[in-house]
Amino acid sequence: MNSEHAEVALPREQVDQIRRLVAAGRADSVAAYVEHAVQARLDRDRSLEELKDLFDRKGHSPSMEHLAWAREVLGVDANGEGEAKL
């Protein structure tokens, strides 16, 4: 895998939590944890974009029931606050 160094700033509380996970053996390193988190978000965003494209090709939007289910699964409230936004 090709890697490139990118510097990011995180709130101290988040870094502390990640370091505790590393110390407990639940993550290999801070960098590995962040890389995994970024990949998970990219995968989710790609999936949401594919879903949007499918609905656009069908010519209609998801029903309110579909949106409610997706928000519950993704941990997102009706205002789009949370992990992802529909």
Side-chain angles (χ1 to χ4, degrees):
M1 176 172 78
N2 247 348
S3 293
E4 183 175 330
H5 181 81
E7 188 172 323
V8 297
L10 299 172
R12 182 176 307 275
E13 300 81 31
Q14 289 179 352
V15 175
D16 290 344
Q17 286 179 321
I18 296 168
R19 286 184 176 144
R20 283 193 294 275
L21 291 169
V22 171
R26 295 183 57 201
D28 292 335
S29 66
V30 172
Y33 186 91
V34 172
E35 180 182 351
H36 176 77
V38 168
Q39 187 61 57
R41 179 61 187 256
L42 290 170
D43 291 346
R44 182 177 324 181
D45 289 346
R46 180 185 41 76
S47 295
L48 289 171
E49 189 61 33
E50 289 175 7
L51 184 59
K52 180 186 176 304
D53 289 346
L54 286 171
F55 276 108
D56 287 348
R57 281 189 297 225
K58 288 263 191 191
H60 61 83
S61 297
S63 69
M64 294 305 291
E65 291 82 15
H66 287 116
L67 290 174
W69 173 83
R71 286 184 179 113
E72 181 179 339
V73 168
L74 295 172
V76 177
D77 66 22
N79 296 319
E81 297 295 324
E83 293 295 313
K85 186 173 182 178
L86 281 179

